[in-house]
Amino acid sequence: METADLVVIGSGQGGIPLAADFAKAGRTVVLFERDALGGSCINYGCTPSKAFLAAAHAAGRARQAVKLGIHTQVQVDFPAVMERVRGIRDRFNQGIQQKLEGAGVHVVCAEASLTEEGAVTDGAVTVQAPLVVINTGTSSLIPEIPGLAGTPYLTNRNFFDLKELPKRLLVIGAGYIGLELGQGLARLGSETHLIIRGDRVLAQEEPEVSDTLAEALHQDGIFLHFKVDVEQVHYANEVFTLTLSNGETLEGEALMVVIGRKPNTTALNATAAGVELDGKGFIKINDQFQTTREGVYAIGDAAGQPAFTHVSWEDYRRLKAILCGEQRTRSDRVLGYAVYTEPQVGRVGMTLEQAQMQGINARAVTLPMAHIARAIEWGHDLGFYRLVIDRDTDQILGATLVGYETAELVHVLLALMEAGATWQLLERSVHIHPTYGEALPSLARLLIEGEMPLCPNLYPNLSMEA
């Protein structure tokens, strides 16, 4: 049996820097990885998907320039698009490998599990360490639809191996991944159908977000099939045929299944090792990332954390600080995230409904994109900005921004929230005209009751009535 100071199971975006930091500090570190280094972000998540969407949205914007008086003919070289995507992915992956090797991390390319004694083993190599960190992530949840198993359906894992543009794409699911990749292929030329169990896309967001994205998808020519289930899948002659619960059938050369995620914890032997899982298989942790076994910690989405790379990265930073004796917790942060459709969705903090459910005396104001000068000028008038504040403290609680590049713009509000700022600070800020960011102070000004621009003490006889 080998010994080490730290064992990391899984090379996600939290486990990699933690392993490298410990090794650089002179500690003995062993990292087990059953698949490609870098986890989902590098290999089949953020990196390839955003490289793919760079091409897809370029094509979409070119086509939509017709409303600006610009007429274009878009020709898509799909093999070149995907070759570029895979090239970027491979380059990032090589960078991860070089980082770990340069730091002196011992990488074991095998699936690991915990022993009852608390060691980590792959069956051939067994390592005992006082500190074990699990960062195994999640994978696609596949429904038990008759006829689906054994067919060459797509998930986000193998999507980026596509070499030919499918003439018709069928997508089961309408969450973040389904909308991004589905809209992406539609903009590159596929006839795209989304099969949706509920009555709206992106159902975890506010209804107005769903409505805006549904309109955007409609403008891209995407077919939305609401309130239906897939009852049967048939695959023959390189064509998928789906039988829907409303009696309709759909055909396509490609089928993508993106209904959700499940934790990669099955192989860990967690329960026998004293590491408790919840009812869905996620690892139970406390606010300091500790599992129910002493010396074993878990970070990232395998531990039920929000499934975003920046969350896993911040888990690493917090866990490292905790191990060094600092008073950090996994919840001492303002959480933001984005959806990279067009228009984008930039989110931070709470919605009005979430705030009210916590008993907060909250208020929200909304500014349509059609009221923003830059959006009108550039033809990006689909969407809205929404701000949520605490009436009692005036602090900013959250924001929902739907529009052009709102994934970038939402950081203004994230920074204000991190600083504990009130909406009045945003309201009195002078933003550049004409920009999209200019609308954020305008959004905050909607909170001013009565819109009284002049001081009544200086102008006692001036009526403010219209």
Side-chain angles (χ1 to χ4, degrees), residues 10-19 33 36-43 46-47 92-93 96 99 135-137 299-301 308-317:
S11 64
Q13 295 304 298
I16 288 171
L18 188 68
E33 173 54 62
L37 292 171
S40 61
C41 176
I42 298 297
N43 296 289
C46 312
T47 296
F92 275 49
N93 186 271
I96 293 295
K99 178 177 181 176
N135 185 216
T136 50
I299 59 177
D301 42 346
F308 306 112
T309 290
H310 52 282
V311 171
S312 184
W313 170 264
E314 287 298 327
D315 283 359
Y316 136 71
R317 286 177 10 105

Side-chain angles (χ1 to χ4, degrees), residues 142 145 147-153 233 235 240:
I142 305 302
I145 302 174
L148 177 63
T151 66
Y153 62 86
V233 175
Y235 181 74
F240 288 92

